[in-house]
Amino acid sequence: MSAKPGCPEHLPRNPQAVAVGALVVARAWKYDASPHWVVPGLYLGSDDYGHWVHQPAGSLVSRPGTAHLAACDALCLFPSEGQWIATLYDDPDEDFDVYIDLAGGIGWQQMKRGAWEVNSIDLDLDVIRSHSRGTFLDDEDEFEQHRLEMGYPEALQRSIRAESRRLLDAVRADAAPFTAEHRRHWLERARTLQRVG
């Protein structure tokens, strides 16, 4: 994606032998190699859609210049293929239900003591299902600004826009893995892990 320092390149898309309960740090970058969000979680396992990570309520979520504690439990899905990362929230009082970041350069690397890191390049566009606003595409203005300022290649722009349309259709249709049933399955696994731990 980018030859500049920042998001490590050529990392495997799927990790090998991640232990259930292992720390997974999601580290996002922008296309110009500047750091973006850092989100920790615990590995739950994988299925046909990708790798599932639990972000417990109270987890520290940070990026340069700001940080907060996660208000509720959430699931992060790092897909085995595709240019996106999804967060599914577990709180009916939270306005966001599904939040999908369009992203490239997704790759896993092992850290010390059994932990893992997932790196990605945030490409601005977000597909969101909101309790108050329905399903919509967000941050198109940011995408337009950054594609010019950071020099997104034409092929990347086309593929990200096409991916965002596919995801909009999938979320509007309540297709797996964005269904409440699929979310309940992985949240129950997270709660089982918490009880055992």
Side-chain angles (χ1 to χ4, degrees):
M1 297 280 305
S2 171
K4 298 177 182 177
C7 184
E9 296 182 330
H10 311 300
L11 295 176
R13 182 61 187 261
N14 291 288
Q16 296 295 319
V18 183
V20 172
L23 172 67
V24 175
V25 177
R27 188 177 302 278
W29 306 82
K30 299 303 283 186
Y31 192 81
D32 67 355
S34 58
H36 196 43
W37 288 106
V38 176
V39 181
L42 302 172
Y43 188 76
L44 296 177
S46 64
D47 62 12
D48 291 343
Y49 299 100
H51 299 272
W52 292 86
V53 172
H54 178 228
Q55 180 193 40
S59 299
L60 177 66
V61 179
S62 65
R63 72 177 183 188
T66 188
H68 65 269
L69 299 179
C72 67
D73 282 3
L75 297 169
C76 294
L77 171 58
F78 301 94
S80 297
E81 56 185 27
Q83 299 177 96
W84 54 274
I85 296 169
T87 304
L88 293 79
Y89 294 90
D90 182 36
D91 186 349
D93 295 327
E94 167 69 45
D95 189 44
F96 292 141
D97 181 52
V98 175
Y99 196 109
I100 305 174
D101 292 281
L102 277 292
I106 301 168
W108 290 71
Q109 63 182 350
Q110 193 157 14
M111 300 166 67
K112 294 181 179 178
R113 301 181 185 90
W116 288 79
E117 182 177 84
V118 189
N119 285 271
S120 64
I121 298 173
D122 179 89
L123 292 167
D124 311 315
L125 293 177
D126 304 305
V127 172
I128 297 172
R129 183 163 65 205
S130 157
H131 294 296
S132 64
R133 296 178 56 195
T135 301
F136 61 96
L137 183 63
D138 199 27
D139 287 339
E140 292 185 86
D141 54 344
E142 186 178 340
F143 181 82
E144 287 300 313
Q145 177 184 350
H146 287 168
R147 76 177 181 86
L148 297 173
E149 291 179 354
M150 298 183 189
Y152 296 176
E154 287 292 332
L156 176 63
Q157 294 178 48
R158 287 193 300 272
S159 67
I160 288 299
R161 286 205 171 278
E163 186 83 291
S164 70
R165 289 190 294 271
R166 285 191 294 272
L167 289 164
L168 266 173
D169 289 344
V171 174
R172 283 182 176 139
D174 197 33
F178 310 116
T179 63
E181 181 181 3
H182 210 81
R183 182 181 339 203
R184 278 194 300 271
H185 167 76
W186 286 103
L187 283 169
E188 183 54 40
R189 185 169 292 197
R191 290 177 183 123
T192 299
L193 182 63
Q194 288 174 323
R195 287 193 294 267
V196 171

